[in-house]
Amino acid sequence: MKMLSPKSFLVAGLTLAALAGPAAAAETLVLPNEVAATHWKTDYQKQFGDLVKQKTGGKIDVQVFPAGQLYNEQDALAALGTGSVQMVWPVSVRIESIAPQTGVLNLPFAVSDKMMTNACFSSGLTEIISSYVEPRGLKVLALLRTADLFFIFSGKDVKKMEDLKGTKVRVTGGRIFLDTMRRLGVSPVSMAASEMSSALSQGAIDGVFTSPAGWAEMIGISGKYAWYVPGFQLATYAVVVDGAWYDKLAPDLREAVSSSIHEIAQREWVEAKAADDKLIEKMKAQGAQFHVADEAELARWRDLAKRAVEPFDKAHPDLVAKIKKLEASCGVGG
């Protein structure tokens, strides 16, 4: 007889609870993630749950399952619409496989802190991105800040584009971002974040493209040299919800979910940036070298990125036009 895993019992139980109908004490919103219970994303999800509970008088019960104990985020996305998961906050690159147009979020220099702290632009971009996943039964309610990523090396003090040539670097990103790396002469390597520190120390890779948290909390001072090109890849989380579940909510409950995530998004972008700046200063205080591209070097990177994203722009001219119009109307255009 095949034994069911504890995870199978948990998923089955949550599904039955979701199907229980009027007898259920509250509407269940299952929110899995794959980061640690101590990670700041988990904390924001719990804050979201508290806000929803407060605004609905407990009519929606947000159940947060961190550290992959229910699903990793890729599988959680696939589970939206089955009744076992109602919301996921994956890194935005993961919705690129659902709708290629959403890959615009993962292009080099695609968004900036200035853009995303502008409520007009942020809400407009969210609506545009959501429109491409809605045919698949999903909605995007907000875009949150993950981090402005940069290069970390243990034995190479990178200060210009040419210094990256011939290196093997652990990266995340969509197809166009990987192509940009190859244009730099970098060999991109895909691996779990949990493996990057040991891979770097053992020489399996030369460097890591990661966040300040990845540097300070997972790699440490063994990654002594950092090279930062501001805005090169400002990664985001997409707050994705099961569209059918969301649309069936009573209007007041739907408004409670929407307004709660918008409250989180408005302050998370500023708070996450401040937290990243603090971690960078912490590493510098330990003796790490943190080099930032100057204006001339930044212009070279922007030129490289422009050439790399041309195929995307040609494939999706309507999307590009929408975003340019949004930038102009919101006053954030370059």
Side-chain angles (χ1 to χ4, degrees):
M1 179 178 177
K2 183 178 178 181
M3 299 296 291
L4 292 176
S5 68
K7 176 178 173 180
S8 298
F9 282 113
L10 182 57
V11 172
L14 290 169
T15 303
L16 288 172
L19 296 173
E27 186 78 38
T28 301
L29 191 165
V30 176
L31 177 53
N33 72 46
E34 60 190 40
V35 301
T38 55
H39 191 281
W40 57 262
K41 183 164 82 167
T42 301
D43 184 54
Y44 277 113
Q45 291 182 337
K46 290 178 179 177
Q47 292 178 39
F48 166 71
D50 290 342
L51 276 172
V52 170
K53 181 178 181 180
Q54 175 189 334
K55 292 184 177 187
T56 65
K59 292 180 181 178
I60 295 182
D61 178 23
V62 178
Q63 299 179 3
V64 178
F65 293 89
Q69 60 182 266
L70 182 60
Y71 288 109
N72 64 40
E73 289 169 353
Q74 190 68 54
D75 291 341
L77 271 174
L80 288 172
T82 67
S84 60
V85 175
Q86 286 71 43
M87 181 180 281
V88 196
W89 299 9
V91 288
S92 296
V93 70
R94 287 192 170 148
I95 62 172
E96 192 173 337
S97 60
I98 296 171
Q101 297 92 333
T102 66
V104 70
L105 296 172
N106 311 309
L107 301 178
F109 302 108
V111 295
S112 68
D113 289 312
K114 176 185 175 182
M115 289 175 168
M116 297 305 292
T117 51
N118 178 299
C120 168
F121 180 84
S122 179
S123 62
L125 180 62
T126 301
E127 290 176 9
I128 290 171
I129 295 301
S130 186
S131 70
Y132 291 109
V133 301
E134 286 170 10
R136 297 286 297 273
L138 308 176
K139 289 182 182 292
V140 177
L141 300 184
L143 297 169
L144 306 179
R145 191 183 199 272
T146 305
D148 201 355
L149 308 182
F150 49 77
F151 295 92
I152 303 296
F153 292 90
S154 59
K156 190 175 181 66
D157 193 4
V158 173
K159 296 180 180 178
K160 59 182 183 299
M161 188 183 290
E162 288 77 11
D163 294 338
L164 292 168
K165 190 172 183 179
T167 59
K168 289 191 297 182
V169 178
R170 182 266 182 184
V171 303
T172 58
R175 180 182 58 80
I176 293 175
F177 183 79
L178 295 178
D179 179 61
T180 305
M181 285 292 179
R182 295 186 183 101
R183 287 171 182 257
L184 289 165
V186 171
S187 296
V189 178
S190 177
M191 66 175 60
S194 58
E195 300 173 6
M196 63 186 185
S197 181
S198 59
L200 187 63
S201 63
Q202 293 168 9
I205 55 176
D206 301 305
V208 172
F209 192 63
T210 190
S211 64
W215 187 26
E217 297 170 5
M218 302 184 75
I219 298 172
I221 196 60
S222 62
K224 184 178 179 180
Y225 302 103
W227 169 239
Y228 175 43
V229 181
F232 180 56
Q233 191 182 39
L234 181 49
T236 58
Y237 292 122
V239 176
V240 186
V241 69
D242 177 343
W245 175 87
Y246 183 74
D247 289 341
K248 287 178 182 177
L249 289 175
D252 61 324
L253 300 185
R254 191 162 58 244
E255 170 60 24
V257 171
S258 175
S259 63
S260 294
I261 197 59
H262 289 158
E263 282 186 37
I264 295 288
Q266 285 174 4
R267 59 185 175 79
E268 184 273 346
W269 202 274
V270 176
E271 292 170 358
K273 184 179 186 306
D276 280 356
D277 291 344
K278 186 175 180 180
L279 288 173
I280 291 169
E281 291 305 314
K282 174 184 175 181
M283 293 303 296
K284 288 165 66 176
Q286 294 178 22
Q289 301 295 308
F290 187 77
H291 299 296
V292 181
D294 60 21
E295 287 300 321
E297 183 69 14
L298 188 56
R300 298 177 65 208
W301 284 73
R302 286 188 176 278
D303 182 63
L304 176 79
K306 184 178 179 180
R307 286 181 276 124
V309 303
E310 281 177 357
F312 183 94
D313 289 352
K314 289 180 179 178
H316 307 289
D318 292 345
L319 170 60
V320 173
K322 287 178 185 177
I323 293 178
K324 287 187 180 298
K325 182 179 179 180
L326 180 65
E327 289 179 359
S329 64
C330 295
V332 296

